[in-house]
Amino acid sequence: MNNPSPPLSGLARRLVRDGLITEELAYQALAAAQKEKLSLPQQLVSSGKISASKLLSTASDEFGAAVVDINALNPSNLDKNLVDNKLIRKHQALPIFKRGNRLFLAIADPTNLHALDEIKFQTGLNTEAILVEADKLGHHIDQFLSVAEESLGEGLGDLDGEGLEGLDIEAVSESGTAREEDTTEVDEAPIVRFVNKVLLDAIKSGSSDIHFEPYEKVYRVRFRTDGILREVARPPTNLATRLSARLKVMSQMDISERRVPQDGRIKMKISKTRAIDFRVNTLPTLWGEKIVLRILDPSSAKLGIDALGYEDFQKKLYLDALAQPQGMILVTGPTGSGKTVSLYTGLNILNTIERNIATAEDPVEINLEGVNQVNVNNKVGLGFAEALRSFLRQDPDVVMVGEIRDLQTAEIAIKAAQTGHLVLSTLHTNSAPETLTRLMSMGVATFNVATSISLIIAQRLARRLCPTCKRPATDITDKVLTEEGFDDIGIPREELQLFHPVGCDKCSAGYKGRVGVYEVVRITPEISRIIMEGGNSINIADAARRAGFNNLRTSALRKTAFGLTSLEEANRVTKD
């Protein structure tokens, strides 16, 4: 037995009652409209069952809605910033003007209350329908969106797409699996091209971070290049939501969620053999979502230890520690000081067929083939301590812990270092001596600190002087040299080669690239004794100096004396 059709309602019922269409035709039109994803007025007019003017008159009379001649509207004069283009396309609703808190929308189907509600939610304005002829609405919406995209492209600047051909941008989930990018949500060509160009420009300039920042009256894009932030673009503020939506689609985030921070990842293939990863984080701010992309270049882990800026004796200390079958190597410094690259350089040296290497990171930043890398996830109970316990049941030779944050992780890592494993990790302290006292203040027994740790590397990154335009610093007096500490760096005055930054078309403000500044301290018997006796960081620093280990200040001044960086830069990254 066939189910009876539901009774007609709304516009269809009125059209049948007025004798403009038959009941059978009304049901057929409703079914066809649903199948073709059209409104009932669009389907009836496009199929020639009723004239657009007659249908408009009936709809206005039935629903009491105002009517406007859409041909009298000039698409170029309409406000392009009231409603997202994707909602205009989706609902075939054209915003024609705003008065106070009311937004008037030109639509052909007065029964489409979902369109009015969704646009009301997106804009925060009360929406009111103005009826127009169904056969003319689509054409005017196409014109409006065409004008909107032209003005959008102008607002984003000159984007000729140079260098964008062939880029393969792939979104990767937090589980590490790739997915086909969903471009249906944000498909505005100027926005797509602008974001792609920003990513490419950041890679070309050697930047480490990209910041998309909305404010009340401006929207800016900044790059962190050689550790210094600089502004590169100011898109119109009304594009903030579209830019954030595009970036969230690319990094597989929830576009509708704007209240809490989110994390994602983008993989950009820039050639057949090279891909760049971006770690993406969103942060809800007062004026929208700030989005920061951290650029992760896997090739940075394969530069080799010679490219990092270690002095010869420091490099030998690091290589000797890596060659040990057990013990702990700690790398310390603030965020952005190059700890990850130092650790991965060591892992790359150790990454041979004979070794079983496991890492626990939050998150995994650089992928290394041959290394078993684990993303810690505290939400499911997989923290650093839990990952370490699991590693030790898998017979590892080398273990890397992304960061020692608590006593539990520290004790497990030290136990691993004492039982035949080489352990690498990081700690957030300012210097090598402070690293030892930090572990003791966490609650690690002094005996364990003294016997398990073999090497500590504290580091900073200083901007490298541009070799093309740097000029000799003849204005630095002997008095300044003495006050800055050059008498204690082991280089005679006559051999000093100090330079000032100048700036040219090949660099940024006189600097090009960065060089590491290191304090590499091996745990000597004297330092072990001081630790066992509960000595403080000052005692340990004095012992390290007597053993010939340069502190960060001395290392920075030596880099300055060799002409690698400037005295201003040495003073920026180190203190006495």
Side-chain angles (χ1 to χ4, degrees):
M1 180 178 176
N2 294 330
N3 293 326
S5 299
L8 295 172
S9 62
L11 182 60
R13 181 180 60 189
R14 176 63 184 264
L15 292 171
V16 172
R17 192 183 72 187
D18 288 0
L20 297 174
I21 59 174
T22 65
E23 185 173 348
E24 181 182 3
L25 182 58
Y27 282 116
Q28 290 175 356
L30 286 168
Q34 185 176 11
K35 182 178 180 180
E36 297 169 16
K37 295 184 178 179
L38 298 173
S39 66
L40 178 62
Q42 285 177 312
Q43 205 286 327
L44 287 171
V45 172
S46 63
S47 63
K49 300 296 190 295
I50 190 172
S51 69
S53 58
K54 191 170 291 186
L55 188 147
L56 180 65
S57 174
T58 303
S60 173
D61 186 49
E62 174 69 15
F63 294 96
V67 175
V68 70
D69 180 7
I70 197 168
N71 289 329
L73 302 175
N74 185 348
S76 60
N77 293 335
L78 302 181
D79 194 333
K80 313 298 185 300
N81 304 320
L82 291 173
V83 182
D84 280 353
N85 288 358
K86 62 178 182 291
L87 288 181
I88 296 173
R89 288 193 188 97
K90 177 181 176 182
H91 295 302
Q92 289 293 292
L94 180 65
I96 51 178
F97 67 94
K98 172 177 171 283
R99 180 178 296 163
N101 197 39
R102 297 165 70 197
L103 176 63
F104 294 87
L105 299 168
I107 62 175
D109 182 7
T111 65
N112 189 3
L113 300 179
H114 178 62
L116 300 177
D117 289 342
E118 189 168 353
I119 293 174
K120 177 180 179 180
F121 176 78
Q122 187 258 325
T123 61
L125 302 171
N126 293 321
T127 52
E128 189 165 325
I130 301 291
L131 297 183
V132 297
E133 294 181 42
D135 58 341
K136 298 176 182 177
L137 178 60
H139 172 69
H140 279 74
I141 285 178
D142 289 342
Q143 276 191 315
F144 173 84
L145 294 178
S146 175
V147 172
E149 287 205 348
E150 285 179 13
S151 64
L152 179 62
E154 292 170 2
L156 291 173
D158 181 21
L159 295 176
D160 56 9
E162 181 181 356
L164 298 180
E165 297 82 1
L167 281 183
D168 181 7
I169 299 180
E170 177 184 357
V172 180
S173 70
E174 283 299 300
S175 63
T177 57
R179 68 174 183 87
E180 185 177 347
E181 185 182 338
D182 178 11
T183 58
T184 59
E185 291 288 347
V186 187
D187 56 0
E188 299 162 283
I191 291 285
V192 172
R193 293 173 60 215
F194 176 75
V195 170
N196 287 357
K197 189 174 189 301
V198 167
L199 301 189
L200 188 66
D201 286 348
I203 294 170
K204 285 181 176 178
S205 65
S207 301
S208 60
D209 303 276
I210 310 171
H211 295 244
F212 292 83
E213 302 172 308
Y215 296 96
E216 181 179 11
K217 297 181 180 178
V218 298
Y219 187 100
R220 68 182 180 185
V221 180
R222 293 192 293 172
F223 292 170
R224 186 181 294 280
T225 308
D226 298 334
I228 304 297
L229 280 168
R230 60 186 178 89
E231 186 175 302
V232 296
R234 282 206 175 195
T237 54
N238 60 283
L239 302 182
T241 56
R242 299 183 218 181
L243 287 169
S244 64
R246 172 62 186 168
L247 290 165
K248 287 161 79 173
V249 164
M250 292 170 68
S251 47
Q252 203 180 8
M253 297 181 191
D254 182 357
I255 292 182
S256 63
E257 181 54 80
R258 301 176 185 174
R259 300 164 298 175
V260 296
Q262 296 187 66
D263 291 293
R265 188 170 182 171
I266 299 170
K267 182 184 289 290
M268 175 184 276
K269 295 180 182 177
I270 58 177
S271 71
K272 290 183 179 179
T273 58
R274 188 182 178 203
I276 302 292
D277 286 341
F278 298 83
R279 294 294 313 184
V280 188
N281 176 264
T282 69
L283 180 68
T285 66
L286 189 61
W287 304 108
E289 289 179 289
K290 173 176 178 176
I291 301 181
V292 176
L293 288 77
R294 186 174 185 188
I295 303 172
L296 309 171
D297 186 356
S299 62
S300 62
K302 301 177 182 179
L303 292 174
I305 194 169
D306 292 327
L308 300 186
Y310 287 95
E311 294 192 46
D312 289 341
F313 71 96
Q314 293 177 330
K315 181 176 73 173
K316 185 177 185 305
L317 287 171
Y318 191 16
L319 292 175
D320 287 347
L322 289 171
Q324 298 299 314
Q326 65 183 45
M328 181 182 289
I329 300 172
L330 290 174
V331 182
T332 183
T335 300
S337 61
K339 299 188 299 295
T340 299
V341 173
S342 283
L343 278 179
Y344 273 98
T345 299
L347 285 178
N348 208 46
I349 292 170
L350 295 169
N351 188 15
T352 63
I353 197 71
E354 297 87 8
R355 290 190 178 94
N356 177 20
I357 304 176
T359 73
E361 303 167 69
D362 183 20
V364 172
E365 295 190 359
I366 299 174
N367 297 326
L368 279 182
E369 187 174 341
V371 176
N372 305 291
Q373 297 171 282
V374 174
N375 260 329
V376 301
N377 187 346
N378 290 312
K379 291 180 181 178
V380 298
L382 180 61
F384 285 119
E386 289 77 17
L388 264 174
R389 287 195 190 95
S390 181
F391 290 167
L392 296 179
R393 291 193 288 269
Q394 296 208 344
D395 188 30
D397 298 297
V398 180
V399 172
M400 196 267 271
V401 185
E403 183 184 347
I404 293 177
R405 297 176 179 172
D406 51 49
L407 176 60
Q408 185 182 25
T409 306
E411 287 182 334
I412 299 171
I414 284 174
K415 179 182 177 182
Q418 292 173 332
T419 54
H421 307 91
L422 181 62
V423 180
L424 289 75
S425 189
T426 69
L427 205 63
H428 282 282
T429 57
N430 291 324
S431 67
E434 289 176 34
T435 302
L436 296 167
T437 54
R438 168 73 176 134
L439 287 171
M440 289 186 281
S441 68
M442 275 186 180
V444 180
T446 55
F447 173 81
N448 288 333
V449 174
T451 58
S452 61
I453 298 172
S454 53
L455 190 76
I456 302 174
I457 302 172
Q459 65 181 80
R460 302 290 188 274
L461 288 176
R463 289 182 291 172
R464 189 188 293 266
L465 282 167
C466 174
T468 303
C469 66
K470 66 181 181 180
R471 64 175 177 83
T474 55
D475 57 336
I476 298 180
T477 64
D478 287 343
K479 180 182 178 182
V480 171
L481 293 175
T482 300
E483 290 174 348
E484 294 290 352
F486 281 91
D487 293 337
D488 302 322
I489 66 173
I491 300 176
R493 285 280 177 95
E494 59 273 14
E495 295 181 16
L496 298 180
Q497 300 178 21
L498 274 62
F499 293 87
H500 283 313
V502 177
C504 65
D505 57 358
K506 295 182 180 180
C507 67
S508 175
Y511 298 96
K512 186 175 183 180
R514 289 191 286 181
V515 62
V517 175
Y518 302 95
E519 176 184 21
V520 183
V521 176
R522 178 171 52 81
I523 306 303
T524 64
E526 183 185 2
I527 293 175
S528 292
R529 178 181 55 79
I530 294 172
I531 295 170
M532 297 278 283
E533 293 172 353
N536 57 33
S537 59
I538 297 175
N539 304 138
I540 297 169
D542 290 340
R545 195 63 182 263
R546 288 192 298 271
F549 304 130
N550 292 335
N551 60 22
L552 284 167
R553 178 63 180 173
T554 299
S555 294
L557 293 178
R558 287 178 65 86
K559 291 286 191 301
T560 304
F562 295 141
L564 295 174
T565 190
S566 66
L567 180 57
E568 297 92 335
E569 189 67 5
N571 288 334
R572 184 181 73 85
V573 299
T574 63
K575 296 180 180 179
D576 289 328

